[in-house]
Amino acid sequence: MNQNKRDGRNAVEEIDVLVVGAGFGGLYQLHQLRKEGFSVKVYEAGAGLGGIWHWNCYPGARVDSHIPIYEYSMENLWEGWNWSERFPDWQELRRYFEYVDKKLDLSKDICFNTRVTGAEFDEDSNSWLVQAGDGLQIRAHRVVFCTGFAAKHYVPDFEGLDDFKGVWHHTALWPQDGLDFKGKRVGIIGTGASGVQVLQEAAKDAAQVTVFQRTPILALAMQQKKLDKETQLEMKKHYLDTYKLRRENFGGFDIISSDKSAMEVSEEERQEVFEASWQKGGFNFWSGTFWDVLLNEESNLKAYEFWRKKVHARVNDPIVAEQLAPLTPPHPFGVKRPSLEQNYYDLFNEEHVSLVNLKETPLKKITANGVKTSAGEQEFDILVMATGFDAVTGGLMQIDIKGTRGKTLKEKWEFGARTHLGVATAGFPNMLFVYGPQSPTGFCNGPTCAEEQGDWMVKCLTDMRENKVQRFEATEDAEESWNRHMDSLLSKTLFGKADSWYMGANIPGKPRQLLMYPGGLQLYLMQCYESTSAGYSGFMLNK
Ligand code: N01
């Protein structure tokens, strides 16, 4: 398309592809699409690169996928980069993104501090007119949303929050220049991955920390390790194999489970397999034990019991241990996202750390001085809202995206997201989303998904250009069939049995649906490329 074509009185820049978001997904799109000769721009709401790693700068924020799984697999990137830890923190991840930026020369095509607020499809020109916060407009033939799964944070509607006289922040909107916990009384609401990480940091300096737990997190041993250059030099000899494995793996990792059921082995063998995975650390205990742990309730319970023993062995007070790891599982193991911990459980043995079980003593309101539960009021200087996200769909639906049928995306997905292949939705032509609903997303390592799903997007856009397709759009029939496929896969798993963000169940009023594709990355990609081979079946193409 022509650049800077006149649109009415205003000069509106015109480009081939607008990418929204400068995290792993968006940067990969920018790099690959530019290589294919497209004119591309990235609009990024944050002031820097990294997506969630720009926003997640709360104390203790670190990734829980290990190195080298959590990085791009491009050799020209990994060969010159070394990490200091197996699970790097947000600061090191930001340095990595700066390095990637320098190597691939990305920033020149990124508009920072530019939050996309709306987009409207113009049927005459088959292009999107996209608006950003400060009145900026751009016209793009195609738009690829790479907003990630956590672009819309969630603060519960707590009564009295506005009256709180201390300082409070949601973890994803943490002040970029930090916040000192030293000597402060800190309350943490929420025990997901963010809450676990904040406690581990806050407990170092704060005078007192109270964790408000509604559902216990099933946190696994991180088994963090320092990494030196020599170790990585050795590791790099196997990187090509590791990246091949991650492409072929269910969740985009290098973790493989046994092909045995947890129920077909002896108690001794079961414990050995569990223990070995536990010692490997990270998500090995989640997805690297027996193949049927997330499918079969009996097998699942065995994993839960092993995990529970590990927790009880570390917490001195048996009442607190029971609150953290109850006899009856709060939900099947692993169907709500586990997090990784280093000393989370040990901290509950410290004098200045306490746990409030909100199931027993519900939170009534936030007061001027602290938090009131049914057991009384506790005073705080700082409140941390580690209360999660309107995940996956929230980030897309908060943008005023107007398609061709008089509906916004928010209206279309009011009763649940509908997509074809988890990449496109009917009524919204020339629009794709990476890491969106009904694709592997939260079930897949981020960088793997950014590359694998990303490669398919690049191929799709290149094929459309080569075949002079002006407009492509998912069909409703294809959406229905993808939905049926999702339901049939879901019914074979235990994921529906937890009120998790995977199921949209963490947000009051949000439709309950599995937001992630549960068939694994390989099956997913197979279907994407089958559609390609069949001339993009499930899409209407107009020249
Ligand atoms: O959010 P969450 P998160 N009253 O939704 C509680 C990724 N991530 O930011 O479970 C009281 O998991 C809620 O309770 P319940 C990772 O994929 C990765 O921690 O709904 N409590 C829950 O405990 C992760 O899964 C990394 O009963 C309320 C917590 O808030 C995802 O992001 C780091 C409440 C929310 O937990 C989200 O993690 C951080 C209420 N009204 C995040 N409402 C790493 O890579 C909610 N809660 C390390």
Side-chain angles (χ1 to χ4, degrees):
M1 295 189 95
N2 297 331
Q3 303 277 323
N4 296 317
K5 196 178 155 196
R6 291 229 148 235
D7 181 316
R9 288 193 335 221
N10 302 322
V12 176
E13 186 180 5
E14 293 197 6
I15 55 170
D16 294 328
V17 187
L18 179 72
V19 173
V20 183
F24 271 108
L27 297 180
Y28 190 75
Q29 286 298 305
L30 171 62
H31 178 59
Q32 300 297 350
L33 288 170
R34 268 190 340 199
K35 275 204 312 197
E36 294 296 334
F38 289 99
S39 58
V40 192
K41 273 247 158 88
V42 178
Y43 276 11
E44 163 56 51
L49 296 165
I52 197 66
W53 298 111
H54 171 74
W55 300 105
N56 267 2
C57 60
Y58 60 81
R62 73 175 59 249
V63 67
D64 47 17
S65 302
H66 58 275
I67 295 305
I69 290 301
Y70 200 76
E71 61 183 295
Y72 287 118
S73 70
M74 290 174 258
E75 193 165 353
N76 61 333
L77 291 178
W78 60 253
E79 67 183 359
W81 178 260
N82 289 304
W83 300 92
S84 69
E85 290 178 309
R86 186 177 176 220
F87 297 93
D89 69 8
W90 63 275
Q91 284 144 313
E92 189 162 22
L93 280 154
R94 280 191 182 185
R95 288 196 292 278
Y96 173 69
F97 278 104
E98 282 162 20
Y99 162 80
V100 171
D101 186 20
K102 275 204 192 94
K103 290 286 279 190
L104 305 182
D105 197 15
L106 299 172
S107 275
K108 65 176 185 195
D109 290 316
I110 304 174
C111 300
F112 293 102
N113 300 306
T114 304
R115 180 178 288 279
V116 169
T117 52
E120 189 163 2
F121 190 73
D122 172 20
E123 305 229 26
D124 293 335
S125 62
N126 284 317
S127 65
W128 287 93
L129 185 63
V130 180
Q131 286 92 31
D134 53 2
L136 191 67
Q137 293 196 92
I138 194 163
R139 191 175 285 283
H141 196 197
R142 329 281 196 193
V143 178
V144 184
F145 284 97
C146 302
T147 42
F149 79 89
K152 187 177 177 194
H153 71 285
Y154 167 62
V155 177
D157 193 11
F158 290 127
E159 187 192 332
L161 185 56
D162 290 342
D163 303 331
F164 182 58
K165 284 198 259 162
V167 174
W168 75 266
H169 293 288
H170 187 278
T171 47
L173 290 184
W174 205 256
Q176 292 286 330
D177 49 1
L179 182 65
D180 197 357
F181 285 138
K182 205 167 182 62
K184 300 282 197 268
R185 298 163 302 173
V186 180
I188 301 173
I189 303 181
T191 53
S194 306
V196 167
Q197 295 187 335
V198 175
L199 172 66
Q200 293 178 147
E201 218 46 43
K204 289 180 186 164
D205 294 327
Q208 173 228 316
V209 194
T210 302
V211 176
F212 292 89
Q213 168 190 288
R214 193 165 66 177
T215 308
I217 179 88
L218 276 50
L220 313 177
M222 177 177 272
Q223 313 289 16
Q224 175 68 299
K225 282 191 185 77
K226 294 281 175 212
L227 292 176
D228 57 27
K229 268 192 183 169
E230 289 66 43
T231 311
Q232 280 168 90
L233 211 56
E234 194 50 40
M235 284 165 67
K236 283 178 185 181
K237 290 182 188 161
H238 310 286
Y239 273 18
L240 292 178
D241 292 337
T242 305
Y243 290 131
K244 183 170 180 293
L245 190 59
R246 113 177 161 174
R247 279 195 290 278
E248 293 164 358
N249 184 261
F250 186 96
F253 278 80
D254 56 353
I255 298 174
I256 299 172
S257 65
S258 157
D259 56 7
K260 290 183 189 164
S261 157
M263 302 316 297
E264 75 176 86
V265 297
S266 65
E267 179 62 17
E268 196 186 357
E269 185 178 342
R270 195 160 44 230
Q271 295 305 313
E272 270 172 22
V273 170
F274 283 152
E275 185 61 33
S277 303
W278 191 265
Q279 293 311 327
K280 280 189 199 161
F283 287 145
N284 278 281
F285 186 74
W286 188 15
S287 56
T289 60
F290 299 97
W291 71 268
D292 62 343
V293 164
L294 301 180
L295 309 177
N296 172 316
E297 290 196 61
E298 256 185 308
S299 301
N300 189 281
L301 189 58
K302 295 291 178 195
Y304 181 83
E305 285 165 352
F306 178 93
W307 169 84
R308 180 170 177 270
K309 262 194 216 152
K310 287 283 184 195
V311 175
H312 277 249
R314 284 165 61 188
V315 181
N316 299 340
D317 181 338
I319 295 173
V320 178
E322 193 56 26
Q323 311 266 23
L324 290 164
L327 181 63
T328 307
H331 48 75
F333 167 79
V335 297
K336 191 165 173 174
R337 172 109 154 23
S339 76
L340 302 186
E341 58 85 34
Q342 301 185 70
N343 62 342
Y344 180 70
Y345 293 111
D346 313 292
L347 286 172
F348 292 99
N349 298 327
E350 308 244 336
E351 279 289 301
H352 71 304
V353 176
S354 56
L355 183 73
V356 172
N357 181 350
L358 294 178
K359 286 267 162 71
E360 281 179 3
T361 55
L363 198 157
K364 294 287 180 200
K365 63 184 291 199
I366 309 291
T367 65
N369 297 318
V371 175
K372 191 169 177 192
T373 67
S374 61
E377 185 178 350
Q378 217 181 321
E379 295 193 353
F380 295 105
D381 305 304
I382 297 174
L383 280 182
V384 180
M385 295 293 161
T387 42
F389 301 89
D390 180 352
V392 191
T393 47
L396 290 166
M397 288 168 73
Q398 71 184 346
I399 304 171
D400 185 27
I401 306 175
K402 293 194 181 85
T404 54
R405 300 175 190 181
K407 272 195 179 171
T408 62
L409 187 69
K410 187 175 175 204
E411 287 164 344
K412 177 173 174 185
W413 285 356
E414 186 184 355
F415 302 108
R418 289 285 182 277
T419 75
H420 176 42
L421 300 170
V423 296
T425 191
F428 296 81
N430 294 358
M431 179 180 121
L432 296 170
F433 28 87
V434 175
Y435 224 64
Q438 302 192 312
S439 83
T441 310
F443 287 172
C444 184
N445 173 48
T448 315
C449 199
E451 291 184 355
E452 296 306 316
Q453 198 184 32
D455 283 344
W456 184 87
M457 306 255 170
V458 174
K459 174 154 181 55
C460 169
L461 293 180
T462 312
D463 287 348
M464 295 300 152
R465 182 182 59 186
E466 275 169 19
N467 292 304
K468 302 201 169 20
V469 174
Q470 288 304 313
R471 171 171 164 162
F472 65 92
E473 179 180 347
T475 66
E476 277 172 1
D477 283 351
E479 286 182 352
E480 280 317 305
S481 122
W482 191 249
N483 220 41
R484 278 196 302 276
H485 174 57
M486 291 272 305
D487 285 347
S488 120
L489 290 171
L490 171 63
S491 67
K492 298 185 181 96
T493 74
L494 301 174
F495 282 103
K497 292 188 181 283
D499 290 337
S500 64
W501 63 260
Y502 292 159
M503 294 297 301
N506 62 325
I507 303 295
K510 186 167 175 168
R512 191 180 179 94
Q513 80 173 122
L514 181 64
L515 291 165
M516 259 57 76
Y517 181 77
L521 183 65
Q522 270 207 300
L523 182 61
Y524 173 75
L525 290 172
M526 204 178 87
Q527 292 176 88
C528 290
Y529 284 101
E530 268 174 12
S531 161
T532 301
S533 306
Y536 290 92
S537 55
F539 290 91
M540 278 181 299
L541 311 184
N542 295 100
K543 295 203 175 181

